[in-house]
Amino acid sequence: MKLIVLAAGYATRLYPLTMDQPKPLLLVAQKPILEHVLESLKAVTANDEIYIVTNAKFAGHFERWAEGYRKRHAGGSIIIINDQSTDDSNKLGAIGDINLVLNEAKIDDDIVVVAGDNLFSESLEGFSDFCREHNAPVLAVYDVGNLEEIKKYNAIETDETGRITFFEEKPAHPKSTLTGIALYYYPKSTLPLIRQYVAEGNNPDQPGRLVQWLYPRTPFYVWRVPGIWYDVGSRETLEEANRIFAPLTIRN
């Protein structure tokens, strides 16, 4: 099972902090956000390749970080893939970046895809077990507890088995506070469908759009994230993330 970390964004809402530093390498609780992500997923992709897809502006930053990370963690198979974009005007988009990694790395295996700016308070070991049990695409979901907040993300409805029956990006009139987050499992059998989505010229940005396209074509399940999930999007949310996760880091 390969891990693909999406880290090719420019995080302009966090300027000036991210003018010369990629968001996943900003510090939360004295550690890069990306390292929090990898620790949470350690049990999911243990001893397997980790692909971090980034852009031309920040590829060097991630190469330097990876060199230090390998030394501190006794090796580790981390591969940095540069999508060659230079700004928002020529970026490939999240789904385009997933497709790029599949093709460049010639991946023929199950994959887990995660955004490099997600923070989780607990291990995601249960995600791995759930995915292997269902052997079908899986979307991690989180209850944000606020219908207004859902409008920034997506709305989901499922049947009694947890299979997605409705999915809408940035809904105007959400009915539930449950939202899909940027953590996905795609078994090997669905990789041709990802390539098909891109080849047909569908919107390559916002990974949720791939879910919206896929769930009518193949069974797609949800898994609830335990503990706290946090999405860093602004200076205010970065400061709040430090307040939330610093005590958790000390406790752990």
Side-chain angles (χ1 to χ4, degrees), residues 2-199:
K2 316 300 185 190
L3 176 63
I4 299 175
V5 181
L6 302 174
Y10 294 90
T12 54
R13 285 191 296 154
L14 273 162
Y15 276 11
L17 293 177
T18 50
M19 287 185 72
D20 299 303
Q21 178 81 324
K23 181 166 56 166
L25 294 185
L26 294 178
L27 300 184
V28 166
Q30 302 182 336
K31 185 164 57 179
I33 294 171
L34 177 56
E35 295 190 20
H36 289 281
V37 175
L38 296 183
E39 284 183 11
S40 297
L41 286 163
K42 195 171 185 179
V44 177
T45 55
N47 304 315
D48 219 332
E49 286 88 2
I50 297 170
Y51 297 91
I52 298 173
V53 57
T54 184
N55 52 56
K57 181 178 181 180
F58 292 131
H61 293 69
F62 284 102
E63 290 285 4
R64 289 188 291 274
W65 165 82
E67 184 178 352
Y69 187 83
R70 292 185 194 103
K71 289 177 181 177
R72 285 182 278 115
H73 295 269
S77 183
I78 296 178
I79 300 102
I80 309 300
I81 292 185
N82 181 354
D83 74 2
Q84 303 300 326
S85 71
T86 54
D87 56 42
D88 281 333
S89 69
N90 58 18
K91 66 182 182 181
L92 300 187
I95 305 168
D97 279 329
I98 295 169
N99 188 57
L100 174 72
V101 175
L102 294 179
N103 291 332
E104 285 211 359
K106 296 180 173 58
I107 293 176
D108 187 30
D109 196 357
D110 302 340
I111 63 171
V112 170
V113 179
V114 66
D117 57 358
N118 277 327
L119 288 166
F120 304 94
S121 66
E122 297 186 19
S123 166
L124 301 175
E125 184 174 3
F127 182 68
S128 176
D129 296 337
F130 184 89
C131 295
R132 288 191 171 95
E133 177 186 340
H134 285 74
N135 194 32
V138 177
L139 168 65
V141 295
Y142 187 80
D143 192 337
V144 298
N146 185 315
L147 286 174
E148 282 301 310
E149 195 73 7
I150 284 289
K151 292 178 182 180
K152 299 190 304 187
Y153 301 109
N154 48 64
I156 298 172
E157 294 176 19
T158 66
D159 65 16
E160 64 279 0
T161 69
R163 179 174 173 176
I164 297 174
T165 57
F166 175 82
F167 184 99
E168 181 184 7
E169 277 286 352
K170 295 182 170 51
H173 306 287
K175 300 176 183 177
S176 165
T177 57
L178 196 67
T179 191
I181 66 172
L183 173 60
Y184 314 89
Y185 167 75
Y186 292 110
K188 174 181 173 180
S189 60
T190 61
L191 301 190
L193 286 170
I194 297 175
R195 294 185 171 99
Q196 179 185 340
Y197 175 93
V198 175

